[in-house]
PDB file of all heavy atoms in Angstrom:
ATOM      1  N   GLU D   8      71.520 126.480 149.713  1.00  0.00           N
ATOM      2  CA  GLU D   8      72.388 126.151 148.584  1.00  0.00           C
ATOM      3  C   GLU D   8      73.780 126.681 148.911  1.00  0.00           C
ATOM      4  O   GLU D   8      73.987 127.895 148.967  1.00  0.00           O
ATOM      5  CB  GLU D   8      71.871 126.799 147.289  1.00  0.00           C
ATOM      6  CG  GLU D   8      70.531 126.297 146.810  1.00  0.00           C
ATOM      7  CD  GLU D   8      70.619 124.919 146.135  1.00  0.00           C
ATOM      8  OE1 GLU D   8      71.732 124.408 145.911  1.00  0.00           O
ATOM      9  OE2 GLU D   8      69.546 124.356 145.830  1.00  0.00           O
ATOM     10  N   LYS D  43      71.935 121.635 150.566  1.00  0.00           N
ATOM     11  CA  LYS D  43      72.301 121.263 149.205  1.00  0.00           C
ATOM     12  C   LYS D  43      73.778 121.593 149.002  1.00  0.00           C
ATOM     13  O   LYS D  43      74.183 122.753 149.154  1.00  0.00           O
ATOM     14  CB  LYS D  43      71.446 122.046 148.204  1.00  0.00           C
ATOM     15  CG  LYS D  43      69.948 121.786 148.352  1.00  0.00           C
ATOM     16  CD  LYS D  43      69.597 120.378 147.922  1.00  0.00           C
ATOM     17  CE  LYS D  43      68.118 120.136 147.870  1.00  0.00           C
ATOM     18  NZ  LYS D  43      67.789 118.813 147.327  1.00  0.00           N
ATOM     19  N   GLU D  44      74.558 120.563 148.678  1.00  0.00           N
ATOM     20  CA  GLU D  44      76.004 120.753 148.500  1.00  0.00           C
ATOM     21  C   GLU D  44      76.320 120.824 146.999  1.00  0.00           C
ATOM     22  O   GLU D  44      76.029 119.896 146.258  1.00  0.00           O
ATOM     23  CB  GLU D  44      76.748 119.604 149.149  1.00  0.00           C
ATOM     24  CG  GLU D  44      76.499 119.533 150.650  1.00  0.00           C
ATOM     25  CD  GLU D  44      77.260 118.402 151.328  1.00  0.00           C
ATOM     26  OE1 GLU D  44      76.750 117.255 151.303  1.00  0.00           O
ATOM     27  OE2 GLU D  44      78.346 118.638 151.866  1.00  0.00           O
ATOM     28  N   ASN D  45      76.909 121.929 146.585  1.00  0.00           N
ATOM     29  CA  ASN D  45      77.190 122.171 145.172  1.00  0.00           C
ATOM     30  C   ASN D  45      78.692 122.088 144.918  1.00  0.00           C
ATOM     31  O   ASN D  45      79.453 122.892 145.468  1.00  0.00           O
ATOM     32  CB  ASN D  45      76.678 123.558 144.781  1.00  0.00           C
ATOM     33  CG  ASN D  45      75.170 123.676 144.912  1.00  0.00           C
ATOM     34  OD1 ASN D  45      74.428 123.319 144.002  1.00  0.00           O
ATOM     35  ND2 ASN D  45      74.691 124.149 146.066  1.00  0.00           N
ATOM     36  N   GLU D  48      82.583 123.010 140.380  1.00  0.00           N
ATOM     37  CA  GLU D  48      82.447 123.099 138.912  1.00  0.00           C
ATOM     38  C   GLU D  48      80.987 123.309 138.506  1.00  0.00           C
ATOM     39  O   GLU D  48      80.701 123.436 137.314  1.00  0.00           O
ATOM     40  CB  GLU D  48      83.045 121.857 138.216  1.00  0.00           C
ATOM     41  CG  GLU D  48      82.326 120.560 138.462  1.00  0.00           C
ATOM     42  CD  GLU D  48      82.823 119.844 139.699  1.00  0.00           C
ATOM     43  OE1 GLU D  48      83.510 120.486 140.542  1.00  0.00           O
ATOM     44  OE2 GLU D  48      82.539 118.641 139.849  1.00  0.00           O
ATOM     45  N   ASN D  49      80.069 123.323 139.479  1.00  0.00           N
ATOM     46  CA  ASN D  49      78.644 123.533 139.168  1.00  0.00           C
ATOM     47  C   ASN D  49      78.110 124.871 139.655  1.00  0.00           C
ATOM     48  O   ASN D  49      76.899 125.094 139.655  1.00  0.00           O
ATOM     49  CB  ASN D  49      77.802 122.390 139.760  1.00  0.00           C
ATOM     50  CG  ASN D  49      77.915 121.110 138.953  1.00  0.00           C
ATOM     51  OD1 ASN D  49      78.785 120.996 138.088  1.00  0.00           O
ATOM     52  ND2 ASN D  49      77.052 120.140 139.206  1.00  0.00           N
ATOM     53  N   VAL D  50      78.996 125.731 140.102  1.00  0.00           N
ATOM     54  CA  VAL D  50      78.564 127.040 140.614  1.00  0.00           C
ATOM     55  C   VAL D  50      79.337 128.137 139.891  1.00  0.00           C
ATOM     56  O   VAL D  50      80.565 128.077 139.790  1.00  0.00           O
ATOM     57  CB  VAL D  50      78.837 127.167 142.126  1.00  0.00           C
ATOM     58  CG1 VAL D  50      78.308 128.513 142.646  1.00  0.00           C
ATOM     59  CG2 VAL D  50      78.209 126.022 142.891  1.00  0.00           C
ATOM     60  N   GLY D  51      78.599 129.101 139.390  1.00  0.00           N
ATOM     61  CA  GLY D  51      79.233 130.268 138.794  1.00  0.00           C
ATOM     62  C   GLY D  51      78.974 131.490 139.649  1.00  0.00           C
ATOM     63  O   GLY D  51      77.885 131.665 140.185  1.00  0.00           O
ATOM     64  N   ALA D  52      80.006 132.309 139.809  1.00  0.00           N
ATOM     65  CA  ALA D  52      79.854 133.590 140.510  1.00  0.00           C
ATOM     66  C   ALA D  52      80.475 134.657 139.628  1.00  0.00           C
ATOM     67  O   ALA D  52      81.641 134.529 139.228  1.00  0.00           O
ATOM     68  CB  ALA D  52      80.539 133.531 141.871  1.00  0.00           C
ATOM     69  N   GLY D  53      79.672 135.646 139.280  1.00  0.00           N
ATOM     70  CA  GLY D  53      80.185 136.716 138.414  1.00  0.00           C
ATOM     71  C   GLY D  53      80.629 136.217 137.043  1.00  0.00           C
ATOM     72  O   GLY D  53      81.517 136.804 136.427  1.00  0.00           O
ATOM     73  N   GLY D  54      80.044 135.109 136.580  1.00  0.00           N
ATOM     74  CA  GLY D  54      80.336 134.614 135.236  1.00  0.00           C
ATOM     75  C   GLY D  54      81.445 133.577 135.148  1.00  0.00           C
ATOM     76  O   GLY D  54      81.716 133.034 134.077  1.00  0.00           O
ATOM     77  N   THR D  55      82.075 133.278 136.291  1.00  0.00           N
ATOM     78  CA  THR D  55      83.187 132.319 136.328  1.00  0.00           C
ATOM     79  C   THR D  55      82.851 131.154 137.247  1.00  0.00           C
ATOM     80  O   THR D  55      82.280 131.364 138.318  1.00  0.00           O
ATOM     81  CB  THR D  55      84.461 133.015 136.880  1.00  0.00           C
ATOM     82  OG1 THR D  55      84.656 134.222 136.173  1.00  0.00           O
ATOM     83  CG2 THR D  55      85.688 132.123 136.738  1.00  0.00           C
ATOM     84  N   LEU D  56      83.218 129.927 136.836  1.00  0.00           N
ATOM     85  CA  LEU D  56      83.019 128.782 137.728  1.00  0.00           C
ATOM     86  C   LEU D  56      83.889 128.935 138.977  1.00  0.00           C
ATOM     87  O   LEU D  56      85.049 129.362 138.876  1.00  0.00           O
ATOM     88  CB  LEU D  56      83.417 127.477 137.022  1.00  0.00           C
ATOM     89  CG  LEU D  56      82.567 127.020 135.837  1.00  0.00           C
ATOM     90  CD1 LEU D  56      83.138 125.714 135.283  1.00  0.00           C
ATOM     91  CD2 LEU D  56      81.111 126.820 136.251  1.00  0.00           C
ATOM     92  N   ALA D  58      85.214 126.563 140.470  1.00  0.00           N
ATOM     93  CA  ALA D  58      86.349 125.656 140.224  1.00  0.00           C
ATOM     94  C   ALA D  58      87.499 126.391 139.548  1.00  0.00           C
ATOM     95  O   ALA D  58      88.676 126.137 139.855  1.00  0.00           O
ATOM     96  CB  ALA D  58      85.899 124.486 139.356  1.00  0.00           C
ATOM     97  N   ASP D  59      87.190 127.288 138.638  1.00  0.00           N
ATOM     98  CA  ASP D  59      88.241 128.031 137.932  1.00  0.00           C
ATOM     99  C   ASP D  59      88.857 129.109 138.811  1.00  0.00           C
ATOM    100  O   ASP D  59      90.052 129.392 138.721  1.00  0.00           O
ATOM    101  CB  ASP D  59      87.683 128.650 136.644  1.00  0.00           C
ATOM    102  CG  ASP D  59      87.368 127.584 135.602  1.00  0.00           C
ATOM    103  OD1 ASP D  59      87.956 126.482 135.660  1.00  0.00           O
ATOM    104  OD2 ASP D  59      86.523 127.841 134.724  1.00  0.00           O
ATOM    105  N   ARG D  62      91.443 127.315 140.938  1.00  0.00           N
ATOM    106  CA  ARG D  62      92.657 127.039 140.166  1.00  0.00           C
ATOM    107  C   ARG D  62      93.512 128.287 139.980  1.00  0.00           C
ATOM    108  O   ARG D  62      94.714 128.263 140.163  1.00  0.00           O
ATOM    109  CB  ARG D  62      92.262 126.491 138.790  1.00  0.00           C
ATOM    110  CG  ARG D  62      92.418 124.994 138.714  1.00  0.00           C
ATOM    111  CD  ARG D  62      91.831 124.464 137.429  1.00  0.00           C
ATOM    112  NE  ARG D  62      90.754 123.521 137.738  1.00  0.00           N
ATOM    113  CZ  ARG D  62      89.762 123.211 136.935  1.00  0.00           C
ATOM    114  NH1 ARG D  62      89.676 123.772 135.745  1.00  0.00           N
ATOM    115  NH2 ARG D  62      88.848 122.342 137.307  1.00  0.00           N
TER     116      ARG D  62
ATOM    117  N   THR E  14      69.072 129.116 138.739  1.00  0.00           N
ATOM    118  CA  THR E  14      69.240 127.676 138.904  1.00  0.00           C
ATOM    119  C   THR E  14      68.853 126.979 137.602  1.00  0.00           C
ATOM    120  O   THR E  14      67.769 127.224 137.070  1.00  0.00           O
ATOM    121  CB  THR E  14      68.336 127.165 140.039  1.00  0.00           C
ATOM    122  OG1 THR E  14      68.615 127.937 141.204  1.00  0.00           O
ATOM    123  CG2 THR E  14      68.602 125.700 140.343  1.00  0.00           C
ATOM    124  N   ILE E  23      83.296 120.115 131.268  1.00  0.00           N
ATOM    125  CA  ILE E  23      83.384 121.339 132.083  1.00  0.00           C
ATOM    126  C   ILE E  23      83.378 122.587 131.185  1.00  0.00           C
ATOM    127  O   ILE E  23      82.921 123.652 131.596  1.00  0.00           O
ATOM    128  CB  ILE E  23      84.600 121.329 133.042  1.00  0.00           C
ATOM    129  CG1 ILE E  23      84.432 122.422 134.118  1.00  0.00           C
ATOM    130  CG2 ILE E  23      85.901 121.476 132.280  1.00  0.00           C
ATOM    131  CD1 ILE E  23      85.485 122.388 135.223  1.00  0.00           C
ATOM    132  N   LYS E  26      79.974 123.742 130.990  1.00  0.00           N
ATOM    133  CA  LYS E  26      79.547 124.433 132.214  1.00  0.00           C
ATOM    134  C   LYS E  26      80.072 125.872 132.202  1.00  0.00           C
ATOM    135  O   LYS E  26      79.369 126.806 132.585  1.00  0.00           O
ATOM    136  CB  LYS E  26      80.059 123.689 133.445  1.00  0.00           C
ATOM    137  CG  LYS E  26      79.428 122.314 133.601  1.00  0.00           C
ATOM    138  CD  LYS E  26      79.928 121.582 134.848  1.00  0.00           C
ATOM    139  CE  LYS E  26      79.235 120.224 134.966  1.00  0.00           C
ATOM    140  NZ  LYS E  26      79.692 119.474 136.163  1.00  0.00           N
ATOM    141  N   ARG E  27      81.317 126.018 131.754  1.00  0.00           N
ATOM    142  CA  ARG E  27      81.909 127.357 131.681  1.00  0.00           C
ATOM    143  C   ARG E  27      81.099 128.287 130.788  1.00  0.00           C
ATOM    144  O   ARG E  27      80.784 129.415 131.167  1.00  0.00           O
ATOM    145  CB  ARG E  27      83.317 127.213 131.074  1.00  0.00           C
ATOM    146  CG  ARG E  27      84.405 127.504 132.037  1.00  0.00           C
ATOM    147  CD  ARG E  27      85.789 127.319 131.430  1.00  0.00           C
ATOM    148  NE  ARG E  27      86.607 126.626 132.414  1.00  0.00           N
ATOM    149  CZ  ARG E  27      87.285 125.513 132.201  1.00  0.00           C
ATOM    150  NH1 ARG E  27      87.258 124.917 131.014  1.00  0.00           N
ATOM    151  NH2 ARG E  27      87.966 124.983 133.181  1.00  0.00           N
ATOM    152  N   VAL E  30      77.548 129.144 132.273  1.00  0.00           N
ATOM    153  CA  VAL E  30      77.619 130.152 133.346  1.00  0.00           C
ATOM    154  C   VAL E  30      77.932 131.531 132.770  1.00  0.00           C
ATOM    155  O   VAL E  30      77.301 132.537 133.137  1.00  0.00           O
ATOM    156  CB  VAL E  30      78.678 129.713 134.388  1.00  0.00           C
ATOM    157  CG1 VAL E  30      79.173 130.895 135.205  1.00  0.00           C
ATOM    158  CG2 VAL E  30      78.094 128.643 135.303  1.00  0.00           C
ATOM    159  N   LYS E  31      78.879 131.579 131.851  1.00  0.00           N
ATOM    160  CA  LYS E  31      79.269 132.869 131.251  1.00  0.00           C
ATOM    161  C   LYS E  31      78.085 133.454 130.458  1.00  0.00           C
ATOM    162  O   LYS E  31      77.737 134.632 130.607  1.00  0.00           O
ATOM    163  CB  LYS E  31      80.481 132.636 130.334  1.00  0.00           C
ATOM    164  CG  LYS E  31      80.996 133.873 129.632  1.00  0.00           C
ATOM    165  CD  LYS E  31      81.637 134.834 130.611  1.00  0.00           C
ATOM    166  CE  LYS E  31      82.335 135.992 129.912  1.00  0.00           C
ATOM    167  NZ  LYS E  31      81.417 136.870 129.196  1.00  0.00           N
ATOM    168  N   THR E  34      75.109 134.517 132.760  1.00  0.00           N
ATOM    169  CA  THR E  34      75.475 135.701 133.552  1.00  0.00           C
ATOM    170  C   THR E  34      75.426 136.962 132.694  1.00  0.00           C
ATOM    171  O   THR E  34      74.894 137.999 133.130  1.00  0.00           O
ATOM    172  CB  THR E  34      76.879 135.512 134.169  1.00  0.00           C
ATOM    173  OG1 THR E  34      76.854 134.332 134.961  1.00  0.00           O
ATOM    174  CG2 THR E  34      77.282 136.709 135.022  1.00  0.00           C
ATOM    175  N   GLU E  44      75.702 143.120 138.972  1.00  0.00           N
ATOM    176  CA  GLU E  44      76.856 142.270 138.642  1.00  0.00           C
ATOM    177  C   GLU E  44      76.902 140.956 139.444  1.00  0.00           C
ATOM    178  O   GLU E  44      77.455 139.969 138.990  1.00  0.00           O
ATOM    179  CB  GLU E  44      78.180 143.031 138.887  1.00  0.00           C
ATOM    180  CG  GLU E  44      78.335 144.313 138.081  1.00  0.00           C
ATOM    181  CD  GLU E  44      78.656 144.037 136.604  1.00  0.00           C
ATOM    182  OE1 GLU E  44      79.287 143.008 136.314  1.00  0.00           O
ATOM    183  OE2 GLU E  44      78.248 144.858 135.756  1.00  0.00           O
ATOM    184  N   HIS E  45      76.365 140.966 140.674  1.00  0.00           N
ATOM    185  CA  HIS E  45      76.497 139.792 141.551  1.00  0.00           C
ATOM    186  C   HIS E  45      75.550 138.665 141.147  1.00  0.00           C
ATOM    187  O   HIS E  45      74.516 138.477 141.785  1.00  0.00           O
ATOM    188  CB  HIS E  45      76.218 140.159 143.008  1.00  0.00           C
ATOM    189  CG  HIS E  45      77.337 140.906 143.635  1.00  0.00           C
ATOM    190  ND1 HIS E  45      78.501 140.283 144.016  1.00  0.00           N
ATOM    191  CD2 HIS E  45      77.494 142.218 143.928  1.00  0.00           C
ATOM    192  CE1 HIS E  45      79.319 141.182 144.531  1.00  0.00           C
ATOM    193  NE2 HIS E  45      78.746 142.362 144.492  1.00  0.00           N
ATOM    194  N   VAL E  46      75.883 137.937 140.108  1.00  0.00           N
ATOM    195  CA  VAL E  46      75.015 136.874 139.624  1.00  0.00           C
ATOM    196  C   VAL E  46      75.597 135.518 140.042  1.00  0.00           C
ATOM    197  O   VAL E  46      76.787 135.261 139.842  1.00  0.00           O
ATOM    198  CB  VAL E  46      74.886 136.918 138.084  1.00  0.00           C
ATOM    199  CG1 VAL E  46      73.965 135.822 137.589  1.00  0.00           C
ATOM    200  CG2 VAL E  46      74.415 138.284 137.631  1.00  0.00           C
ATOM    201  N   THR E  47      74.758 134.695 140.654  1.00  0.00           N
ATOM    202  CA  THR E  47      75.155 133.323 140.990  1.00  0.00           C
ATOM    203  C   THR E  47      74.398 132.374 140.077  1.00  0.00           C
ATOM    204  O   THR E  47      73.201 132.548 139.852  1.00  0.00           O
ATOM    205  CB  THR E  47      74.788 133.010 142.456  1.00  0.00           C
ATOM    206  OG1 THR E  47      75.401 133.981 143.296  1.00  0.00           O
ATOM    207  CG2 THR E  47      75.269 131.622 142.861  1.00  0.00           C
ATOM    208  N   VAL E  48      75.087 131.394 139.513  1.00  0.00           N
ATOM    209  CA  VAL E  48      74.431 130.371 138.693  1.00  0.00           C
ATOM    210  C   VAL E  48      74.702 129.002 139.327  1.00  0.00           C
ATOM    211  O   VAL E  48      75.851 128.678 139.637  1.00  0.00           O
ATOM    212  CB  VAL E  48      74.962 130.375 137.238  1.00  0.00           C
ATOM    213  CG1 VAL E  48      74.265 129.303 136.406  1.00  0.00           C
ATOM    214  CG2 VAL E  48      74.772 131.743 136.598  1.00  0.00           C
ATOM    215  N   LEU E  49      73.638 128.254 139.554  1.00  0.00           N
ATOM    216  CA  LEU E  49      73.770 126.893 140.092  1.00  0.00           C
ATOM    217  C   LEU E  49      73.371 125.906 139.007  1.00  0.00           C
ATOM    218  O   LEU E  49      72.247 125.970 138.490  1.00  0.00           O
ATOM    219  CB  LEU E  49      72.853 126.702 141.305  1.00  0.00           C
ATOM    220  CG  LEU E  49      73.080 127.645 142.488  1.00  0.00           C
ATOM    221  CD1 LEU E  49      71.974 127.437 143.537  1.00  0.00           C
ATOM    222  CD2 LEU E  49      74.446 127.393 143.130  1.00  0.00           C
ATOM    223  N   ILE E  50      74.302 125.005 138.640  1.00  0.00           N
ATOM    224  CA  ILE E  50      73.997 123.973 137.650  1.00  0.00           C
ATOM    225  C   ILE E  50      73.621 122.699 138.406  1.00  0.00           C
ATOM    226  O   ILE E  50      74.422 122.164 139.181  1.00  0.00           O
ATOM    227  CB  ILE E  50      75.216 123.685 136.744  1.00  0.00           C
ATOM    228  CG1 ILE E  50      75.685 124.981 136.059  1.00  0.00           C
ATOM    229  CG2 ILE E  50      74.903 122.607 135.717  1.00  0.00           C
ATOM    230  CD1 ILE E  50      77.001 124.810 135.300  1.00  0.00           C
ATOM    231  N   LYS E  51      72.402 122.231 138.184  1.00  0.00           N
ATOM    232  CA  LYS E  51      71.924 121.029 138.866  1.00  0.00           C
ATOM    233  C   LYS E  51      71.853 119.906 137.843  1.00  0.00           C
ATOM    234  O   LYS E  51      71.150 120.030 136.831  1.00  0.00           O
ATOM    235  CB  LYS E  51      70.526 121.284 139.456  1.00  0.00           C
ATOM    236  CG  LYS E  51      70.501 122.404 140.496  1.00  0.00           C
ATOM    237  CD  LYS E  51      71.233 121.986 141.757  1.00  0.00           C
ATOM    238  CE  LYS E  51      71.066 122.990 142.874  1.00  0.00           C
ATOM    239  NZ  LYS E  51      71.700 122.524 144.124  1.00  0.00           N
ATOM    240  N   GLU E  52      72.592 118.835 138.097  1.00  0.00           N
ATOM    241  CA  GLU E  52      72.636 117.707 137.158  1.00  0.00           C
ATOM    242  C   GLU E  52      71.723 116.594 137.673  1.00  0.00           C
ATOM    243  O   GLU E  52      71.903 116.098 138.776  1.00  0.00           O
ATOM    244  CB  GLU E  52      74.069 117.211 137.024  1.00  0.00           C
ATOM    245  CG  GLU E  52      75.002 118.291 136.477  1.00  0.00           C
ATOM    246  CD  GLU E  52      76.430 117.814 136.311  1.00  0.00           C
ATOM    247  OE1 GLU E  52      77.174 117.851 137.316  1.00  0.00           O
ATOM    248  OE2 GLU E  52      76.817 117.392 135.210  1.00  0.00           O
TER     249      GLU E  52
END
Side-chain angles (χ1 to χ4, degrees):
Chain D
E8 295 283 353
K43 300 291 188 174
E44 298 181 277
N45 296 275
E48 67 272 16
N49 284 12
V50 183
T55 310
L56 293 180
D59 290 336
R62 258 172 240 156
Chain E
T14 306
I23 195 173
K26 294 181 179 180
R27 248 178 223 126
V30 159
K31 180 69 172 66
T34 302
E44 301 285 330
H45 285 285
V46 181
T47 304
V48 180
L49 301 173
I50 303 172
K51 299 291 188 176
E52 299 181 276

